[in-house]
Structure formats: structure tokens, C-alpha cells
Amino acid sequence: MSPLKIKKGANKHSAYNLRPTFSDVTERHTLAVVVDNEPGVLARVIGLFSGRGYNIESLTVAEVDHTGHTSRITVVTSGTPQVIEQIKAQLGRIIPVHEVHDLTVEGAAVERELALLKVIGDGDKRVEALRLADIFRANVVDSTLESFVFEITGTPEKIDAFADLMRPLGLLEVARTGVAALSRGH
């Protein structure tokens, strides 16, 4: 029996192998999931992630249509493209899920996050914290003789940069909401 002869330039994969080839690079994706606003839905969505060992970097949820009783869950997750496809497919199979959008691949999207940062300091550090807050357009929402609480909204990268600058000035606590995102345009 003669060996299989493959033409030069052709690959060794079968012509019937229609499965997509995925890379092994870990990517960060923002998923928007529209669900019925009823008890236990969030637990089912989160249970999918915990049951399969998928990572959740950020999670926000709120009712978006009071008359239709629907909520929007925004999940920021990471994984290989194959894992992301599995997550989207499995989310779509959960019964109260109406829509699953991968905002990362569907085009340009706007992402924002809210954070509260408590900074304790005095003297020059206090003045510097106020100056940096002005540059980052952060608002002072509480002030005492020893501390400030700043409110800042923006991309997660902007909030990270603000927190990094506040750390040497006496950053004590940070509370973040997680990413809320919408696709741009129609």
C-alpha cells in the first residue's frame, strides 16, 4: 500500500473537519445578557460560571425594563476564544435568558464603571489628592478633617490609574461597581 500523497501547499487536515480552529490566547470579553427579572435567575447565570470554572472579572445587574420585567446582566470574563464561545452558547440555553451579546466582538462599545475611594491624609498629601481628583474629574462626595471619599466614573483603566496615584497619598478603601456597557450606534 502506498503512502497518502498530499499535494504541495495543501494541509493535512481533513476536508470534512468543519470545526473552527481557535487560538490558545486568553481574551477579555464583555457579555450583555438580557434575562427575565425573576428570583433565581442571577443564581443560575452565576452557577453556570462557577460550575464550569469560568472566571468572572466583573458583574453588574439591574432591571432595565420595568414593564417587561427584564434585567440586563453585564459580565466581563476571560478565556480562550473556544471558552468564550462555550460560555455564550451555554448562557443562551438558560431558560430565562432572552439575548446574549458579546460586546467585544460586535463592534465598538462604551464601558463605564463607578468607584468610591477613601483617601486619608493631611497637609500636602491632602492638597495633592484634591489636585489629582480634579484632573481625573473625580467628585468629592464626603469630606472630614482627615479624609476624603472620591467618586469617579470611567473606564476600568482610568479607575485603576486614579487608584494607583492615590495609593501613596493614603488610599484606604476602594468600592467598585463593575462594568456597565452598551454597544455604540444601532
PDB file of all heavy atoms in Angstrom, residues 53-78:
ATOM      1  N   GLY A  53     -16.163  26.488  36.038  1.00  0.00           N
ATOM      2  CA  GLY A  53     -14.837  27.026  36.337  1.00  0.00           C
ATOM      3  C   GLY A  53     -14.459  28.225  35.489  1.00  0.00           C
ATOM      4  O   GLY A  53     -13.284  28.527  35.336  1.00  0.00           O
ATOM      5  N   TYR A  54     -15.468  28.939  34.957  1.00  0.00           N
ATOM      6  CA  TYR A  54     -15.183  30.143  34.180  1.00  0.00           C
ATOM      7  C   TYR A  54     -14.968  31.311  35.124  1.00  0.00           C
ATOM      8  O   TYR A  54     -15.610  31.424  36.163  1.00  0.00           O
ATOM      9  CB  TYR A  54     -16.339  30.478  33.225  1.00  0.00           C
ATOM     10  CG  TYR A  54     -16.697  29.388  32.248  1.00  0.00           C
ATOM     11  CD1 TYR A  54     -18.016  29.131  31.938  1.00  0.00           C
ATOM     12  CD2 TYR A  54     -15.714  28.633  31.634  1.00  0.00           C
ATOM     13  CE1 TYR A  54     -18.362  28.145  31.023  1.00  0.00           C
ATOM     14  CE2 TYR A  54     -16.057  27.641  30.718  1.00  0.00           C
ATOM     15  CZ  TYR A  54     -17.375  27.402  30.429  1.00  0.00           C
ATOM     16  OH  TYR A  54     -17.706  26.420  29.533  1.00  0.00           O
ATOM     17  N   ASN A  55     -14.085  32.215  34.732  1.00  0.00           N
ATOM     18  CA  ASN A  55     -13.766  33.354  35.579  1.00  0.00           C
ATOM     19  C   ASN A  55     -14.716  34.521  35.303  1.00  0.00           C
ATOM     20  O   ASN A  55     -15.055  34.800  34.164  1.00  0.00           O
ATOM     21  CB  ASN A  55     -12.325  33.800  35.322  1.00  0.00           C
ATOM     22  CG  ASN A  55     -11.909  34.910  36.255  1.00  0.00           C
ATOM     23  OD1 ASN A  55     -12.294  34.914  37.424  1.00  0.00           O
ATOM     24  ND2 ASN A  55     -11.150  35.851  35.748  1.00  0.00           N
ATOM     25  N   ILE A  56     -15.141  35.205  36.368  1.00  0.00           N
ATOM     26  CA  ILE A  56     -15.898  36.459  36.242  1.00  0.00           C
ATOM     27  C   ILE A  56     -15.015  37.567  36.774  1.00  0.00           C
ATOM     28  O   ILE A  56     -14.644  37.556  37.946  1.00  0.00           O
ATOM     29  CB  ILE A  56     -17.215  36.413  37.034  1.00  0.00           C
ATOM     30  CG1 ILE A  56     -18.144  35.364  36.458  1.00  0.00           C
ATOM     31  CG2 ILE A  56     -17.872  37.785  37.033  1.00  0.00           C
ATOM     32  CD1 ILE A  56     -19.433  35.189  37.243  1.00  0.00           C
ATOM     33  N   GLU A  57     -14.653  38.520  35.896  1.00  0.00           N
ATOM     34  CA  GLU A  57     -13.846  39.653  36.336  1.00  0.00           C
ATOM     35  C   GLU A  57     -14.714  40.771  36.881  1.00  0.00           C
ATOM     36  O   GLU A  57     -14.289  41.521  37.756  1.00  0.00           O
ATOM     37  CB  GLU A  57     -12.998  40.173  35.171  1.00  0.00           C
ATOM     38  CG  GLU A  57     -11.957  39.183  34.709  1.00  0.00           C
ATOM     39  CD  GLU A  57     -11.110  39.708  33.581  1.00  0.00           C
ATOM     40  OE1 GLU A  57     -11.154  40.917  33.284  1.00  0.00           O
ATOM     41  OE2 GLU A  57     -10.395  38.889  32.974  1.00  0.00           O
ATOM     42  N   SER A  58     -15.908  40.907  36.328  1.00  0.00           N
ATOM     43  CA  SER A  58     -16.807  41.970  36.754  1.00  0.00           C
ATOM     44  C   SER A  58     -18.228  41.523  36.479  1.00  0.00           C
ATOM     45  O   SER A  58     -18.498  40.805  35.512  1.00  0.00           O
ATOM     46  CB  SER A  58     -16.486  43.248  35.970  1.00  0.00           C
ATOM     47  OG  SER A  58     -17.469  44.220  36.180  1.00  0.00           O
ATOM     48  N   LEU A  59     -19.167  41.971  37.332  1.00  0.00           N
ATOM     49  CA  LEU A  59     -20.566  41.588  37.179  1.00  0.00           C
ATOM     50  C   LEU A  59     -21.442  42.736  37.642  1.00  0.00           C
ATOM     51  O   LEU A  59     -21.264  43.248  38.744  1.00  0.00           O
ATOM     52  CB  LEU A  59     -20.861  40.342  38.033  1.00  0.00           C
ATOM     53  CG  LEU A  59     -22.307  39.895  38.112  1.00  0.00           C
ATOM     54  CD1 LEU A  59     -22.744  39.279  36.809  1.00  0.00           C
ATOM     55  CD2 LEU A  59     -22.474  38.907  39.240  1.00  0.00           C
ATOM     56  N   THR A  60     -22.346  43.177  36.776  1.00  0.00           N
ATOM     57  CA  THR A  60     -23.348  44.160  37.170  1.00  0.00           C
ATOM     58  C   THR A  60     -24.697  43.662  36.689  1.00  0.00           C
ATOM     59  O   THR A  60     -24.803  43.010  35.648  1.00  0.00           O
ATOM     60  CB  THR A  60     -23.092  45.545  36.550  1.00  0.00           C
ATOM     61  OG1 THR A  60     -23.059  45.426  35.140  1.00  0.00           O
ATOM     62  CG2 THR A  60     -21.796  46.146  37.049  1.00  0.00           C
ATOM     63  N   VAL A  61     -25.726  43.983  37.447  1.00  0.00           N
ATOM     64  CA  VAL A  61     -27.074  43.579  37.061  1.00  0.00           C
ATOM     65  C   VAL A  61     -28.065  44.583  37.614  1.00  0.00           C
ATOM     66  O   VAL A  61     -27.907  45.082  38.728  1.00  0.00           O
ATOM     67  CB  VAL A  61     -27.374  42.146  37.553  1.00  0.00           C
ATOM     68  CG1 VAL A  61     -27.289  42.048  39.055  1.00  0.00           C
ATOM     69  CG2 VAL A  61     -28.716  41.669  37.068  1.00  0.00           C
ATOM     70  N   ALA A  62     -29.056  44.902  36.804  1.00  0.00           N
ATOM     71  CA  ALA A  62     -30.142  45.780  37.224  1.00  0.00           C
ATOM     72  C   ALA A  62     -31.308  45.601  36.268  1.00  0.00           C
ATOM     73  O   ALA A  62     -31.126  45.210  35.115  1.00  0.00           O
ATOM     74  CB  ALA A  62     -29.694  47.236  37.229  1.00  0.00           C
ATOM     75  N   GLU A  63     -32.505  45.915  36.787  1.00  0.00           N
ATOM     76  CA  GLU A  63     -33.682  45.857  35.938  1.00  0.00           C
ATOM     77  C   GLU A  63     -33.616  47.015  34.946  1.00  0.00           C
ATOM     78  O   GLU A  63     -33.336  48.153  35.330  1.00  0.00           O
ATOM     79  CB  GLU A  63     -34.957  45.954  36.774  1.00  0.00           C
ATOM     80  CG  GLU A  63     -36.211  45.768  35.954  1.00  0.00           C
ATOM     81  CD  GLU A  63     -37.468  45.782  36.805  1.00  0.00           C
ATOM     82  OE1 GLU A  63     -37.643  46.741  37.578  1.00  0.00           O
ATOM     83  OE2 GLU A  63     -38.245  44.833  36.693  1.00  0.00           O
ATOM     84  N   VAL A  64     -33.841  46.741  33.666  1.00  0.00           N
ATOM     85  CA  VAL A  64     -33.765  47.779  32.642  1.00  0.00           C
ATOM     86  C   VAL A  64     -35.114  48.075  32.017  1.00  0.00           C
ATOM     87  O   VAL A  64     -35.274  49.092  31.346  1.00  0.00           O
ATOM     88  CB  VAL A  64     -32.748  47.403  31.536  1.00  0.00           C
ATOM     89  CG1 VAL A  64     -31.343  47.427  32.089  1.00  0.00           C
ATOM     90  CG2 VAL A  64     -33.070  46.068  30.905  1.00  0.00           C
ATOM     91  N   ASP A  65     -36.100  47.200  32.186  1.00  0.00           N
ATOM     92  CA  ASP A  65     -37.434  47.425  31.641  1.00  0.00           C
ATOM     93  C   ASP A  65     -38.446  47.000  32.701  1.00  0.00           C
ATOM     94  O   ASP A  65     -38.685  45.811  32.908  1.00  0.00           O
ATOM     95  CB  ASP A  65     -37.621  46.613  30.350  1.00  0.00           C
ATOM     96  CG  ASP A  65     -38.971  46.850  29.695  1.00  0.00           C
ATOM     97  OD1 ASP A  65     -39.732  47.723  30.175  1.00  0.00           O
ATOM     98  OD2 ASP A  65     -39.264  46.158  28.707  1.00  0.00           O
ATOM     99  N   HIS A  66     -39.039  48.020  33.351  1.00  0.00           N
ATOM    100  CA  HIS A  66     -39.974  47.724  34.433  1.00  0.00           C
ATOM    101  C   HIS A  66     -41.254  47.062  33.921  1.00  0.00           C
ATOM    102  O   HIS A  66     -41.775  46.159  34.560  1.00  0.00           O
ATOM    103  CB  HIS A  66     -40.317  49.008  35.194  1.00  0.00           C
ATOM    104  CG  HIS A  66     -39.140  49.618  35.867  1.00  0.00           C
ATOM    105  ND1 HIS A  66     -38.517  49.030  36.942  1.00  0.00           N
ATOM    106  CD2 HIS A  66     -38.453  50.750  35.617  1.00  0.00           C
ATOM    107  CE1 HIS A  66     -37.499  49.775  37.326  1.00  0.00           C
ATOM    108  NE2 HIS A  66     -37.428  50.833  36.533  1.00  0.00           N
ATOM    109  N   THR A  67     -41.739  47.498  32.757  1.00  0.00           N
ATOM    110  CA  THR A  67     -42.991  46.919  32.243  1.00  0.00           C
ATOM    111  C   THR A  67     -42.776  45.506  31.692  1.00  0.00           C
ATOM    112  O   THR A  67     -43.630  44.651  31.828  1.00  0.00           O
ATOM    113  CB  THR A  67     -43.590  47.800  31.135  1.00  0.00           C
ATOM    114  OG1 THR A  67     -42.623  47.974  30.103  1.00  0.00           O
ATOM    115  CG2 THR A  67     -44.019  49.153  31.681  1.00  0.00           C
ATOM    116  N   GLY A  68     -41.622  45.287  31.071  1.00  0.00           N
ATOM    117  CA  GLY A  68     -41.319  43.967  30.523  1.00  0.00           C
ATOM    118  C   GLY A  68     -40.668  43.038  31.520  1.00  0.00           C
ATOM    119  O   GLY A  68     -40.439  41.868  31.240  1.00  0.00           O
ATOM    120  N   HIS A  69     -40.352  43.552  32.712  1.00  0.00           N
ATOM    121  CA  HIS A  69     -39.706  42.775  33.775  1.00  0.00           C
ATOM    122  C   HIS A  69     -38.446  42.067  33.273  1.00  0.00           C
ATOM    123  O   HIS A  69     -38.279  40.862  33.454  1.00  0.00           O
ATOM    124  CB  HIS A  69     -40.674  41.773  34.405  1.00  0.00           C
ATOM    125  CG  HIS A  69     -41.880  42.422  34.993  1.00  0.00           C
ATOM    126  ND1 HIS A  69     -41.840  43.176  36.142  1.00  0.00           N
ATOM    127  CD2 HIS A  69     -43.160  42.472  34.562  1.00  0.00           C
ATOM    128  CE1 HIS A  69     -43.033  43.644  36.401  1.00  0.00           C
ATOM    129  NE2 HIS A  69     -43.857  43.241  35.457  1.00  0.00           N
ATOM    130  N   THR A  70     -37.603  42.837  32.581  1.00  0.00           N
ATOM    131  CA  THR A  70     -36.336  42.265  32.141  1.00  0.00           C
ATOM    132  C   THR A  70     -35.182  42.991  32.812  1.00  0.00           C
ATOM    133  O   THR A  70     -35.271  44.181  33.124  1.00  0.00           O
ATOM    134  CB  THR A  70     -36.163  42.358  30.613  1.00  0.00           C
ATOM    135  OG1 THR A  70     -36.286  43.715  30.209  1.00  0.00           O
ATOM    136  CG2 THR A  70     -37.167  41.490  29.886  1.00  0.00           C
ATOM    137  N   SER A  71     -34.113  42.264  33.027  1.00  0.00           N
ATOM    138  CA  SER A  71     -32.887  42.802  33.613  1.00  0.00           C
ATOM    139  C   SER A  71     -31.742  42.564  32.649  1.00  0.00           C
ATOM    140  O   SER A  71     -31.802  41.675  31.801  1.00  0.00           O
ATOM    141  CB  SER A  71     -32.571  42.116  34.949  1.00  0.00           C
ATOM    142  OG  SER A  71     -33.557  42.418  35.896  1.00  0.00           O
ATOM    143  N   ARG A  72     -30.714  43.362  32.813  1.00  0.00           N
ATOM    144  CA  ARG A  72     -29.523  43.222  31.985  1.00  0.00           C
ATOM    145  C   ARG A  72     -28.347  42.873  32.890  1.00  0.00           C
ATOM    146  O   ARG A  72     -28.062  43.594  33.840  1.00  0.00           O
ATOM    147  CB  ARG A  72     -29.248  44.520  31.240  1.00  0.00           C
ATOM    148  CG  ARG A  72     -28.069  44.463  30.294  1.00  0.00           C
ATOM    149  CD  ARG A  72     -27.903  45.828  29.635  1.00  0.00           C
ATOM    150  NE  ARG A  72     -26.732  45.870  28.803  1.00  0.00           N
ATOM    151  CZ  ARG A  72     -26.760  45.893  27.477  1.00  0.00           C
ATOM    152  NH1 ARG A  72     -27.912  45.867  26.842  1.00  0.00           N
ATOM    153  NH2 ARG A  72     -25.653  45.953  26.785  1.00  0.00           N
ATOM    154  N   ILE A  73     -27.702  41.787  32.579  1.00  0.00           N
ATOM    155  CA  ILE A  73     -26.516  41.358  33.317  1.00  0.00           C
ATOM    156  C   ILE A  73     -25.317  41.632  32.420  1.00  0.00           C
ATOM    157  O   ILE A  73     -25.280  41.165  31.277  1.00  0.00           O
ATOM    158  CB  ILE A  73     -26.579  39.857  33.666  1.00  0.00           C
ATOM    159  CG1 ILE A  73     -27.812  39.554  34.520  1.00  0.00           C
ATOM    160  CG2 ILE A  73     -25.305  39.414  34.375  1.00  0.00           C
ATOM    161  CD1 ILE A  73     -28.057  38.068  34.730  1.00  0.00           C
ATOM    162  N   THR A  74     -24.368  42.387  32.922  1.00  0.00           N
ATOM    163  CA  THR A  74     -23.133  42.636  32.186  1.00  0.00           C
ATOM    164  C   THR A  74     -22.024  41.865  32.886  1.00  0.00           C
ATOM    165  O   THR A  74     -21.741  42.100  34.056  1.00  0.00           O
ATOM    166  CB  THR A  74     -22.799  44.142  32.144  1.00  0.00           C
ATOM    167  OG1 THR A  74     -23.919  44.846  31.609  1.00  0.00           O
ATOM    168  CG2 THR A  74     -21.573  44.401  31.290  1.00  0.00           C
ATOM    169  N   VAL A  75     -21.434  40.936  32.155  1.00  0.00           N
ATOM    170  CA  VAL A  75     -20.383  40.080  32.707  1.00  0.00           C
ATOM    171  C   VAL A  75     -19.103  40.324  31.922  1.00  0.00           C
ATOM    172  O   VAL A  75     -19.105  40.243  30.689  1.00  0.00           O
ATOM    173  CB  VAL A  75     -20.761  38.586  32.600  1.00  0.00           C
ATOM    174  CG1 VAL A  75     -19.668  37.714  33.203  1.00  0.00           C
ATOM    175  CG2 VAL A  75     -22.084  38.307  33.256  1.00  0.00           C
ATOM    176  N   VAL A  76     -18.041  40.614  32.622  1.00  0.00           N
ATOM    177  CA  VAL A  76     -16.727  40.677  31.992  1.00  0.00           C
ATOM    178  C   VAL A  76     -16.008  39.396  32.390  1.00  0.00           C
ATOM    179  O   VAL A  76     -15.870  39.089  33.578  1.00  0.00           O
ATOM    180  CB  VAL A  76     -15.916  41.911  32.443  1.00  0.00           C
ATOM    181  CG1 VAL A  76     -14.540  41.907  31.793  1.00  0.00           C
ATOM    182  CG2 VAL A  76     -16.676  43.191  32.106  1.00  0.00           C
ATOM    183  N   THR A  77     -15.609  38.636  31.391  1.00  0.00           N
ATOM    184  CA  THR A  77     -14.973  37.352  31.639  1.00  0.00           C
ATOM    185  C   THR A  77     -13.749  37.212  30.745  1.00  0.00           C
ATOM    186  O   THR A  77     -13.546  38.022  29.830  1.00  0.00           O
ATOM    187  CB  THR A  77     -15.963  36.190  31.396  1.00  0.00           C
ATOM    188  OG1 THR A  77     -15.366  34.962  31.799  1.00  0.00           O
ATOM    189  CG2 THR A  77     -16.363  36.107  29.934  1.00  0.00           C
ATOM    190  N   SER A  78     -12.957  36.224  31.011  1.00  0.00           N
ATOM    191  CA  SER A  78     -11.778  35.996  30.179  1.00  0.00           C
ATOM    192  C   SER A  78     -11.632  34.512  29.920  1.00  0.00           C
ATOM    193  O   SER A  78     -12.064  33.681  30.716  1.00  0.00           O
ATOM    194  CB  SER A  78     -10.520  36.557  30.845  1.00  0.00           C
ATOM    195  OG  SER A  78     -10.337  35.963  32.107  1.00  0.00           O
TER     196      SER A  78
END
